[in-house]
Amino acid sequence: MTTRTKITGAVLGAAVAGALALVPLTDDGSGGEADSSNVILGTAEKEAVPSFTATDWVSYGDQVAVVRVTAEHERRDTDTDTDEGAGTEEDYLSRTVDLQVEELVWARSDAPALPPTVSVTADGWQLKDGTKKELGSPDSSRLEVGHDYVITFARFSDGTWSPLGSGGVLPYDHGRIGEGEFQGETGTADAYRSTWEERLIPGDEQPMAFRTAGKPATGVQGILRSTTPDATAARYFGLDPAARYQKVAGASEPADTFCSVAAPLAVSEDSRHTPDELASVLTDLADLAGPAGKDTSALRRYARSLEAGAGTSASVDDTARKASVARIEQECGTEVGELLPTDTETDTGKG
């Protein structure tokens, strides 16, 4: 994959790690709006790891530090461009920035040590007809040379360090959060706070940008020390942040219920089940049925009789079958018919 890529419909910046710079341009390749500083802002893109709240920072971050951007570098292909008309279309020039760590603010227990200097991928430039225009992400900083920031860092599985995400980068010029570069412009802490106040959602945890605007870095430290990480994330601190978040996202999926497992058995679903498949579903239902009782025992007995007679003409436990039908239909209001295997070709063809 080249680092000088056509930007039409592309995702800009870091596609791995915290995805600090994820800026897809519009379909016509023009990007988003250009602000008064001529920075083209793209549209927001979902990031690999959540990064806006204190819970996000302590659940997925490793270190929080005050840093200064000391240099930026344009990344071009090592191979010579051979495309016809190169530079006459809209291209994307990738950018990396060098960060000098000035102060360590917070660290997760047992987190790896943050190096004194870190190079990360940030929003780059649009190149059109030989003219470069800065590209930025909405509600985030570009990371401009000479500016200070408070950043929550994470180390990812490939060993690289990166900001956790766009919500983990706070302007910090003059020792005040919110002062400095944001969306390519230099602004005040009051303006920064107002911007985030407009984005608050009642009932949701407030973003760190809003909670800390106007405060020194010690304000961040105090909040993080009193914040409890997500319980699932805490169990997987041995994984990198992206893998850890996948565990958390998976844990938030609705758990199976008796009726959700029974749903494919409905006559209306016209599902096909071999004796072994039907037995497996019935065993799962018995596990979800709660304390042992007559109906639960019937589910297990019917499942065992299906397994014992799979692929043969052996009779199933008809009494247990009828009791299983009654249990499912009574609890779920789902008509399951005779609750017999409907796919026996795989078994009967064996010789």
Side-chain angles (χ1 to χ4, degrees):
M1 180 177 178
T2 63
T3 54
R4 180 177 180 178
T5 318
K6 304 298 182 186
I7 61 174
T8 304
V11 175
L12 309 183
V16 294
L20 171 63
L22 290 177
V23 192
L25 299 190
T26 55
D27 290 340
D28 62 3
S30 61
E33 294 184 5
D35 62 21
S36 58
S37 63
N38 294 319
V39 174
I40 300 173
L41 296 180
T43 55
E45 185 76 11
K46 185 176 181 179
E47 298 181 335
V49 182
S51 63
F52 286 90
T53 68
T55 300
D56 295 336
W57 286 29
V58 299
S59 298
Y60 308 108
D62 289 315
Q63 299 272 357
V64 175
V66 175
V67 304
R68 170 162 292 186
V69 182
T70 57
E72 64 181 5
H73 311 279
E74 177 185 310
R75 292 174 51 191
R76 292 182 177 270
D77 294 339
T78 54
D79 298 331
T80 303
D81 287 336
T82 56
D83 292 347
E84 246 182 80
T88 61
E89 298 181 15
E90 293 181 3
D91 296 343
Y92 176 66
L93 298 181
S94 182
R95 183 174 69 112
T96 60
V97 294
D98 298 337
L99 309 177
Q100 176 68 47
V101 175
E102 298 185 320
E103 177 186 350
L104 293 175
V105 176
W106 172 89
R108 178 176 59 81
S109 178
D110 298 323
L114 182 68
T117 59
V118 181
S119 293
V120 302
T121 302
D123 288 315
W125 300 274
Q126 173 184 314
L127 178 64
K128 184 175 182 180
D129 297 327
T131 301
K132 287 200 309 185
K133 292 185 177 180
E134 295 179 345
L135 295 172
S137 301
D139 297 336
S140 64
S141 295
R142 280 193 87 242
L143 294 179
E144 300 279 11
V145 175
H147 288 280
D148 293 339
Y149 303 86
V150 171
I151 296 180
T152 176
F153 287 95
R155 190 175 70 174
F156 289 80
S157 58
D158 61 357
T160 61
W161 285 87
S162 172
L164 188 62
S166 58
V169 179
L170 311 180
Y172 193 59
D173 287 356
H174 313 119
R176 296 186 71 205
I177 293 173
E179 294 274 350
E181 184 269 318
F182 179 65
Q183 297 185 145
E185 291 187 309
T186 301
T188 65
D190 289 341
Y192 186 73
R193 180 181 174 83
S194 296
T195 294
W196 285 103
E197 187 171 18
E198 295 172 359
R199 289 156 173 73
L200 297 180
I201 299 175
D204 283 4
E205 183 179 353
Q206 294 176 347
M208 285 291 284
F210 175 76
R211 295 178 67 181
T212 60
K215 297 179 180 179
T218 52
V220 170
Q221 185 182 74
I223 291 173
L224 297 183
R225 285 179 173 176
S226 63
T227 300
T228 302
D230 177 272
T232 301
R235 290 200 298 271
Y236 292 99
F237 276 144
L239 300 178
D240 91 323
R244 197 182 314 153
Y245 177 61
Q246 290 303 310
K247 293 291 186 181
V248 173
S252 65
E253 294 176 356
D256 287 335
T257 65
F258 184 93
C259 292
S260 70
V261 172
L265 301 177
V267 173
S268 59
E269 292 296 320
D270 195 29
S271 301
R272 311 295 294 176
H273 302 283
T274 65
D276 281 341
E277 289 169 343
L278 181 56
S280 178
V281 173
L282 292 165
T283 300
D284 288 342
L285 290 174
D287 291 341
L288 292 165
K294 182 179 66 175
D295 293 339
T296 301
S297 176
L299 289 164
R300 295 192 189 280
R301 290 201 318 273
Y302 182 34
R304 286 195 295 268
S305 73
L306 285 167
E307 293 170 339
T312 74
S313 58
S315 297
V316 297
D317 186 331
D318 206 48
T319 301
R321 177 185 65 81
K322 292 178 180 179
S324 298
V325 170
R327 170 64 188 268
I328 296 169
E329 292 189 342
Q330 180 179 4
E331 181 159 337
C332 304
T334 301
E335 183 182 352
V336 295
E338 297 298 316
L339 199 60
L340 289 167
T342 52
D343 184 359
T344 58
E345 292 181 5
T346 302
D347 297 310
T348 57
K350 294 178 181 179

